Amino acid sequence: MPKNLVIVESPAKAKTIEGYLGKDFKVASSYGHVRDLPKGEHAIDIKNNFKPTYEVTADKKEVIKELKKLVKEAETVYLASDDDREGEAISWHLKEVLGLKDENSKRIVFREITKSAIAKAMENPRTIDIDLVNAQQARRILDRLVGFELSPVLWKKIKAGLSAGRVQSVAVRFIVEREREIEKFKSVSSYRITAIFDAGGKPLHAELPKKFDNKEEAEEFLKKCLEASFSVKSLETKPAKKSPAAPFTTSTLQQEASRKLYFSVAQTMNIAQKLYESGKITYMRTDSVNLSEEALSGAENAIVSSYGKEFHQKRKFAAKSEGAQEAHEAVRPTDFSVSEAGADRNEQRLYDLIWKRAIASQMADARLEKTNVTIAVSNTDEHLVANGEVIKFEGFLKVYLESTEDDEEDEEKTGRGILPPLTEGQKLDLREMKGRQSFSRPPARYTEASLVKKLEEMGIGRPSTYAPTISTIQKRNYVVKESRDGTSRKYTEMVISGGNFVETEKTEITGADKNKLFPTNIAMVVNDFLVEHFPNVIDYSFTAKVEKEFDHIAHGEQRWDDMIQNFYSSFHTKVEETENIKREDVNSSRELGVDPKTGKKLIARLGKFGPLVQIGEQEDEEKQFASLKKGQFIESITLEDALELFKLPRDVGFFEDKKIVAAIGRFGPYIRHDSKFVSLAKEYDPLSITEEEAIQLIKDKREADAKKHIKSFDENPEIEILNGRWGPYIKFGKNNFKIPKDKEAEKLSYAETVEIIENQPEPKKGGRGFKRKK
C-alpha cells in the first residue's frame, strides 16, 4: 500500500500527477470544496466575531468517507490544492475534516502540472497559510451576509425570488447605466470626405482630415473640387515600431478568447482548466504577467529554432494590477517546444492562442515604415491626406497580433496599405470623391469580455471571480446575452466623378448588436432600489476598497473579523431602515397616460412573470394586462407602444377549421393552434404575422416533432426515445437519460430501455419515481 497520500481538487489533475509520482504515492481527489456555510441564519455567529460554522456538503460525504480511509492507511498526507486563496481554503478544510496534524500532513503548491514542478513542490513543502485562508473566509462570509440580509429585502419590497450580491450587483449596475447612456444618447450627423486618385495607373486612397458639420458645407467643398486640380504637396516617411503584448493574465485571456475565438468567459475558463489539469498550461487564475527564467529560456529556444536569432528579444513585463494576488506567473504553455496540444478542437484553439501570445511576448519588435502624404487642392486651403505602412521586419507579427474591442466597433477604420510610388509636386487625377453622411454613435454595450476588462480596471473582483460573476448575473435573469437586429436609417451620399455631381439618399442598418449584454427590466428596478438605499454596497470605489482589504488580510496586514465588523455595522443599519419602506413606494411602476377606449389609467409595472402594461388600477376587477416585448423597458415605453401591446392576443386566421392566435407569453411571442404552441423567432412580430406565415410555422413544427420522435412503448407511455441536439436519448417523465454508444436507439426494446434508466445515476431533483409495469 502506498505510504503517501496526495489530495488534489479534480480527478483529471489526480490522474496527471499520479503519472509523475512513483508507486509510493496515491493521488486522490476532493472534487473541489468539501465544506461550506450551511443555509439558514445559524451559519455565521454575528455576536461572536462572525464565527462561521461549516458543514460537509451532502454531495461530499462519500468523498470524505473515502478520503478518511486513505488517510488511515498513509504515513504522510500532501494537500496539493490550487495555489491561490480558494485552494488554500480547500486544503485547510480538508485538514480540519480529516483530522490531520502538522506532523503527518504537508501543504505543497505548484503553478503547472509537470514532472519537474511536482518534484520541486515535493522538495519544498510548507504549512497552510492561514492569512490566505482568512482572506477567502472573509470574502465568503461577507458575501453570505450581504446575500442573506439583502435578498429578503428585495423579496419584500420588489418581487419574491430576487437575489443581490456584493460583486454581481455592481456588475449589473455597469450594464444598466450603459443601457441608459445609450437610451439618452442623441446622435449627431456630420459629413466625411474620402477620395480615390489615379497615381500613375494605381489607386491612391485619401480623406479630408476633418468632417463637415452639415450637408451644405460638404456640398460646397465637393463642388469646388469639381473645378480643382490636385497634387502631392508633401511626403513624410518615418520609421515606426510595434511591440508585443504581455503574456496572458486571466482577464486578458478571457477577453482575447472572446474576440478571436468567440468563447464565452465561462467556456474559456472550463477549457483552460482542462489544459491545466492535463499539464499543458500553467495555472489559469492569475493576474501576473511574469514568466519564470525557465519559461524565458524555453521561449527563446522555440523562437530561435523556428524563426532565427534575430526574432528573439527577452522581455519582462510589469503587472498593471495593483492588488495582484498570489499569482506567480502568467498563463503560458508548460513546454514551449509543443506548439499544438489539446484533446479536442476548442482545447487546441485555446492552447494555440496561449502559445502564440506567450511566444510573441518574447519576440523582437516589428519594424515599420510609415508614409504620410499631404495632397493639395488648387482652389482651397483645405488638403487631403493619405497614409501608408510597410512592414520592414515582421518581428512578433510573424506569430501574433492582439485584437481590441475597437476592431469590432470602429466602422470607419481604414487599413494602412502600401502606397503607390509618389513624388512631391506630382499631379494626381481624381477618379472619385465622396461626401458621406455619418452619425455619432452611442457607447457600445458590454460584451462579456469588455465587462471583464471594466471590472478589472475598476479593481472589482479578482481572477477567480470574473467568470462566476458574469454567469451569475445571466442565470438570475438580471442580464441577457443575445444578438439584436438594428433599425434602418437613411443617409445622404454625394459623389463627384467625371466632372459630375450626384446626390443620392441611401439606407443603412444601425444599432445591430451581436452577443452583447442587455439588462432586463428587473435589473433596472433592483439596481435603482440598491443605489438609493444601499449606496455603499453598489458603489464602485467602495467595492474596489473591499477587494483591497481582502488583499491586506491575505498579506497578514489586517484581521478578517475587524474588516467584516467595519462593513457589517453600517450595512445592517441600512437593512433595518428599509423595514419602513412600503412596497408601493419602490419605483417599479410608471403611469403612461389614459387608455382612450376605457378612460382608465395605463400603467407599466413588474408582474409576477415579468414586465407588463396594465389598464385599470390594482383593485379594478376588469383590469387588462399585456406583456412587454423584448427590448421594451418600464422606464421608457411610451403610451403609443403600450396601446399596441393590447392588440394581443390577436386572431391571425384559421387552419384546419381551427383558429390561430398570436400573443406574447412568459417566454416570449408565440402562436397557438389546436391547443398547441409554436414560439415565434425574432423575425416574426405577433402584431403583424400573417395567416400564411403562421400556417407554415405550424407545419414546420409538426414536421420537426415527427422527426424528433423515434419510439415509444405501450407498456409505459411515459417512456419515449427521442432525437435531440446531441443525438438520440431516452425521456422518462421530466428526466433525460443517455443511450450507451453501443446501442442503436431504433432497436431498443422496452426491457433494455428500462435497464438503461435504472443503471444511470439518480437525477438530483425530484427523483425518478420509476415503477416497472408488469
Side-chain angles (χ1 to χ4, degrees):
M1 196 67 206
K3 297 177 184 176
N4 303 292
L5 174 66
V6 180
I7 305 176
V8 296
E9 292 104 325
S10 81
K13 194 173 168 183
K15 189 179 175 185
T16 307
I17 292 171
E18 200 159 52
Y20 296 136
L21 296 171
K23 59 180 175 13
D24 289 338
F25 289 86
K26 164 75 178 169
V27 186
S29 169
S30 72
Y31 295 84
H33 279 278
V34 294
R35 288 201 307 181
D36 198 6
L37 299 168
K39 289 180 180 177
E41 57 190 34
H42 301 299
I44 301 163
D45 188 348
I46 292 166
K47 291 177 182 174
N48 189 15
N49 288 333
F50 304 94
K51 186 181 177 184
T53 297
Y54 292 107
E55 284 182 4
V56 174
T57 52
D59 61 330
K60 295 299 168 63
K61 287 185 176 172
E62 281 300 313
V63 173
I64 291 298
K65 192 176 170 184
E66 187 60 32
L67 287 175
K68 280 183 174 177
K69 276 188 203 169
L70 295 171
V71 166
K72 278 183 185 176
E73 295 164 358
E75 291 178 14
T76 307
V77 178
Y78 293 88
L79 300 169
S81 48
D82 289 337
D83 184 15
D84 58 12
R85 295 172 197 173
E86 290 294 325
E88 206 69 21
I90 289 171
S91 283
W92 178 75
H93 282 295
L94 283 167
K95 187 180 178 187
E96 294 283 308
V97 173
L98 299 174
L100 302 175
K101 303 284 185 260
D102 286 342
E103 308 87 70
N104 71 334
S105 67
K106 296 175 182 181
R107 171 80 170 117
I108 59 167
V109 293
F110 40 85
R111 303 292 297 186
E112 58 185 81
I113 303 173
T114 58
K115 192 166 187 176
S116 60
I118 302 302
K120 192 175 176 184
M122 299 299 283
E123 289 164 13
N124 297 281
R126 61 170 173 80
T127 56
I128 287 171
D129 186 334
I130 202 65
D131 292 329
L132 297 184
V133 175
N134 285 338
Q136 189 275 344
Q137 278 199 117
R139 180 187 290 279
R140 185 74 190 94
I141 291 167
L142 186 62
D143 288 348
R144 168 59 72 88
L145 288 170
V146 170
F148 190 75
E149 297 211 0
L150 208 48
S151 296
V153 172
L154 298 180
W155 302 346
K156 288 179 195 171
K157 308 303 175 186
I158 300 174
K159 187 185 170 199
L162 294 176
S163 70
R166 190 181 53 82
V167 176
Q168 77 169 51
S169 297
V170 175
V172 170
R173 184 179 181 184
F174 280 128
I175 293 161
V176 167
E177 291 186 346
R178 178 56 54 87
E179 195 66 32
R180 286 175 173 158
E181 279 181 72
I182 293 166
E183 280 284 320
K184 288 175 186 172
F185 186 81
K186 302 293 181 202
S187 191
V188 177
S189 83
S190 58
Y191 284 79
R192 179 178 179 231
I193 306 293
T194 57
I196 304 172
F197 294 98
D198 189 314
K202 293 185 177 177
L204 172 65
H205 294 264
E207 68 175 287
L208 197 69
K210 71 169 192 179
K211 289 184 178 181
F212 291 112
D213 293 335
N214 54 60
K215 177 174 170 285
E216 290 72 30
E217 289 177 358
E219 186 176 337
E220 184 185 345
F221 177 77
L222 287 168
K223 286 181 174 175
K224 263 189 186 178
C225 288
L226 277 171
E227 310 296 327
S229 58
F230 305 90
S231 60
V232 176
K233 184 180 179 182
S234 66
L235 279 168
E236 184 190 4
T237 302
K238 57 183 178 182
K241 69 173 185 176
K242 274 188 177 136
S243 298
F248 284 130
T249 62
T250 301
S251 75
T252 54
L253 175 62
Q254 289 169 346
Q255 290 166 51
E256 195 74 337
S258 172
R259 290 189 289 254
K260 276 190 158 71
L261 308 179
Y262 305 104
F263 288 173
S264 70
V265 166
Q267 186 182 10
T268 297
M269 294 312 288
N270 288 338
I271 296 168
Q273 178 96 27
K274 290 174 186 171
L275 288 170
Y276 167 65
E277 289 175 350
S278 60
K280 304 303 180 190
I281 64 169
T282 53
Y283 192 51
M284 64 284 155
R285 292 188 185 94
T286 174
D287 43 15
S288 171
V289 288
N290 184 44
L291 293 179
S292 67
E293 286 301 323
E294 186 185 346
L296 292 171
S297 174
E300 180 180 358
N301 291 337
I303 292 162
V304 171
S305 65
S306 296
Y307 308 109
K309 199 169 183 179
E310 69 277 17
F311 278 88
H312 176 253
Q313 184 179 332
K314 186 176 178 180
R315 299 172 191 270
K316 291 208 172 183
F317 294 88
K320 289 181 185 176
S321 174
E322 219 182 295
Q325 224 169 271
E326 307 72 40
H328 306 313
E329 274 199 82
V331 184
R332 64 161 175 85
T334 54
D335 184 351
F336 281 97
S337 68
V338 178
S339 59
E340 293 180 11
D344 58 36
R345 184 168 176 268
N346 281 343
E347 283 186 36
Q348 289 158 10
R349 291 169 74 207
L350 191 66
Y351 180 84
D352 180 64
L353 193 69
I354 293 166
W355 186 88
K356 284 178 176 174
R357 174 80 164 224
I359 279 282
S361 76
Q362 298 305 307
M363 291 179 76
D365 291 336
R367 294 196 296 273
L368 315 168
E369 185 178 82
K370 291 188 176 183
T371 304
N372 299 321
V373 183
T374 304
I375 298 166
V377 185
S378 62
N379 56 2
T380 174
D381 292 336
E382 302 287 359
H383 63 270
L384 291 95
V385 294
N387 301 301
E389 187 175 276
V390 177
I391 296 173
K392 292 292 193 181
F393 173 66
E394 282 180 292
F396 77 94
L397 292 177
K398 197 166 187 71
V399 173
Y400 180 85
L401 178 63
E402 183 183 26
S403 54
T404 65
E405 290 292 320
D406 293 336
D407 295 344
E408 298 170 24
E409 301 294 343
D410 193 353
E411 293 166 356
E412 293 188 357
K413 207 168 195 177
T414 50
R416 288 170 174 262
I418 299 172
L419 297 174
L422 298 167
T423 55
E424 284 192 12
Q426 180 179 342
K427 299 291 181 190
L428 299 170
D429 292 326
L430 180 67
R431 288 187 189 176
E432 177 187 274
M433 187 178 288
K434 190 185 290 183
R436 188 194 188 281
Q437 186 180 18
S438 60
F439 299 86
S440 57
R441 288 180 296 156
R445 288 184 175 89
Y446 287 106
T447 59
E448 287 190 352
S450 61
L451 183 59
V452 166
K453 187 179 180 184
K454 185 71 174 174
L455 290 168
E456 185 182 43
E457 283 173 355
M458 300 294 284
I460 294 164
R462 287 292 179 261
S464 60
T465 65
Y466 301 137
T469 297
I470 287 170
S471 295
T472 297
I473 61 177
Q474 291 178 67
K475 280 178 193 163
R476 293 183 174 167
N477 201 34
Y478 285 125
V479 171
V480 290
K481 181 174 86 169
E482 60 188 17
S483 300
R484 290 188 184 174
D485 296 333
T487 54
S488 60
R489 172 175 67 191
K490 295 189 184 313
Y491 68 93
T492 302
E493 187 174 271
M494 297 172 285
V495 178
I496 59 169
S497 180
N500 297 314
F501 173 90
V502 178
E503 180 183 323
T504 52
E505 187 176 72
K506 294 188 173 182
T507 302
E508 64 182 353
I509 299 297
T510 181
D513 277 310
K514 187 177 179 183
N515 289 331
K516 295 291 179 73
L517 300 175
F518 295 84
T520 60
N521 277 276
I522 197 73
M524 291 182 154
V525 173
V526 169
N527 176 74
D528 291 350
F529 179 82
L530 294 176
V531 168
E532 183 178 352
H533 299 289
F534 296 91
N536 264 13
V537 173
I538 206 162
D539 179 72
Y540 300 140
S541 58
F542 179 80
T543 308
K545 177 175 167 280
V546 169
E547 292 293 347
K548 285 182 182 172
E549 288 182 314
F550 290 146
D551 294 340
H552 295 325
I553 294 166
H555 297 135
E557 297 161 1
Q558 186 173 355
R559 284 176 57 92
W560 72 267
D561 48 355
D562 288 347
M563 179 258 178
I564 301 281
Q565 180 62 58
N566 292 339
F567 173 89
Y568 184 75
S569 52
S570 60
F571 168 70
H572 185 66
T573 304
K574 283 282 183 188
V575 171
E576 289 178 326
E577 286 171 4
T578 60
E579 288 296 323
N580 304 320
I581 301 166
K582 293 178 182 173
R583 190 164 186 160
E584 54 267 29
D585 292 337
V586 177
N587 188 25
S588 63
S589 66
R590 180 172 151 253
E591 192 175 317
L592 304 180
V594 174
D595 172 37
K597 285 184 183 175
T598 62
K600 294 177 181 178
K601 275 185 189 175
L602 204 156
I603 300 160
R605 67 175 182 85
L606 269 180
K608 187 178 179 182
F609 299 117
L612 55 83
V613 282
Q614 172 183 315
I615 294 173
E617 301 280 6
Q618 280 300 98
E619 58 276 7
D620 187 345
E621 289 181 12
E622 295 180 358
K623 58 183 175 285
Q624 300 170 56
F625 304 100
S627 298
L628 265 60
K629 290 199 290 187
K630 188 188 286 185
Q632 290 182 324
F633 293 110
I634 290 169
E635 63 182 48
S636 58
I637 189 170
T638 63
L639 177 64
E640 292 73 22
D641 288 340
L643 290 169
E644 281 291 306
L645 295 173
F646 284 99
K647 293 178 181 175
L648 297 173
R650 166 180 159 259
D651 292 348
V652 176
F654 284 85
F655 177 52
E656 297 172 342
D657 296 326
K658 291 185 175 119
K659 192 188 285 184
I660 304 170
V661 176
I664 297 176
R666 184 180 176 186
F667 303 108
Y670 65 88
I671 51 172
R672 185 178 72 245
H673 173 259
D674 193 18
S675 302
K676 292 184 175 67
F677 297 85
V678 181
S679 295
L680 293 181
K682 61 184 178 181
E683 62 264 30
Y684 295 106
D685 187 331
L687 288 165
S688 59
I689 188 168
T690 64
E691 182 183 69
E692 186 182 357
E693 289 170 331
I695 290 169
Q696 188 58 51
L697 290 174
I698 293 164
K699 287 179 176 176
D700 291 346
K701 177 77 163 53
R702 285 179 181 176
E703 191 179 331
D705 288 348
K707 286 180 181 173
K708 186 178 178 183
H709 185 270
I710 297 174
K711 200 170 188 179
S712 53
F713 301 94
D714 293 336
E715 296 95 322
N716 190 341
E718 268 198 272
I719 298 177
E720 293 179 281
I721 300 177
L722 303 173
N723 248 323
R725 187 178 174 190
W726 312 114
Y729 66 96
I730 298 165
K731 185 173 190 289
F732 174 50
K734 291 183 178 179
N735 297 316
N736 298 332
F737 302 89
K738 287 181 184 176
I739 295 174
K741 287 180 182 176
D742 60 342
K743 303 281 185 185
E744 284 186 53
E746 295 82 0
K747 293 181 180 177
L748 282 174
S749 67
Y750 176 68
E752 286 174 314
T753 306
V754 168
E755 188 181 350
I756 290 168
I757 292 171
E758 289 180 334
N759 288 336
Q760 286 194 23
E762 192 77 16
K764 286 183 181 176
K765 288 187 181 177
R768 221 173 268 148
F770 184 82
K771 287 181 184 174
R772 188 189 292 269
K773 291 203 174 181
K774 294 180 181 176

